[in-house]
Amino acid sequence: MTKTKSSVVSDFVLPIGVLLLICIVASALLAYTNSITAPIIAASEEEAARQARIAVLPEADDFELLEVDGLPETVTQVYRATNDAGYVFMITSDGYGGRGTLNLICGIDEEGHITDTQVLSHSETVGLGARITGDDFRGQFVGKDASLEGVDTIGGATISSNYYINAIRDAFTAYDMVKEGQ
């Protein structure tokens, strides 16, 4: 049997070159796909956020993002209804699932009463802490003022429900700041 001598080019350089070419083509295709889909995804996310704002403040016709200094750490965005129906607060709070794992939205009308609240996302325990998303718990906030009188925690899920209640309190703190700034 005869052995052929392998060359450095055919054994090392050529395979590396082929792999490099494959990586470049794949990266270019992914970048192209991203450039096409990114605006569509962004528009879809914005529409979902708008629908969430309308859901918690249905009297509003449209919203204006407010820039407010000194908001509580948990309040990430404040929107004012353009028809003066009230305000919507985006809240990212700690949850039982960890830091920043509870994302809420809260609508407060011009008179300082909650119009609705919703959980946008969470990492709470399934079947226990996740009960904060239920209508029984969320429904008790509607019509409440900053005192939150009559709002109860969920038995067996007091940590999650306390985080939720504290997040709503932060929304009222932000509400007071926005109202003072007008």
Side-chain angles (χ1 to χ4, degrees):
M1 270 193 161
T2 61
K3 280 190 166 182
T4 59
K5 282 188 167 180
S6 62
S7 71
V8 171
V9 172
S10 65
D11 286 350
F12 295 105
V13 175
L14 191 59
I16 290 171
V18 169
L19 286 174
L20 183 63
L21 183 62
I22 290 170
C23 289
I24 290 171
V25 169
S27 295
L29 289 172
L30 286 171
Y32 175 71
T33 302
N34 184 57
S35 71
I36 291 174
T37 59
I40 297 167
I41 292 169
S44 176
E45 288 173 347
E46 178 55 36
E47 180 57 24
R50 184 181 175 289
Q51 291 301 321
R53 290 190 294 268
I54 295 256
V56 297
L57 193 63
E59 297 81 24
D61 53 4
D62 204 5
F63 297 93
E64 164 190 20
L65 178 63
L66 300 179
E67 297 296 325
V68 182
D69 292 329
L71 289 172
E73 184 179 307
T74 57
V75 178
T76 58
Q77 292 178 322
V78 177
Y79 291 89
R80 181 182 67 79
T82 55
N83 63 347
D84 294 326
Y87 300 89
V88 172
F89 301 90
M90 307 299 288
I91 308 162
T92 298
S93 177
D94 294 344
Y96 189 70
R99 291 195 59 79
T101 58
L102 183 59
N103 295 302
L104 309 169
I105 186 169
C106 177
I108 301 176
D109 65 20
E110 280 294 318
E111 289 79 38
H113 295 97
I114 296 174
T115 54
D116 202 357
T117 67
Q118 285 189 4
V119 176
L120 300 175
S121 66
H122 69 88
S123 296
E124 304 306 294
T125 307
V126 176
L128 252 152
R131 294 185 350 205
I132 61 173
T133 62
D135 291 338
D136 292 343
F137 182 70
R138 283 183 335 105
Q140 66 180 333
F141 289 91
V142 176
K144 301 293 184 201
D145 61 12
S147 71
L148 296 179
E149 188 176 321
V151 172
D152 293 322
T153 59
I154 299 171
T158 54
I159 294 173
S160 297
S161 52
N162 276 328
Y163 280 127
Y164 193 108
I165 292 168
N166 289 334
I168 300 303
R169 284 195 171 101
D170 287 345
F172 273 110
T173 300
Y175 174 80
D176 290 340
M177 293 173 71
V178 170
K179 291 295 275 186
E180 287 173 8
Q182 287 186 336

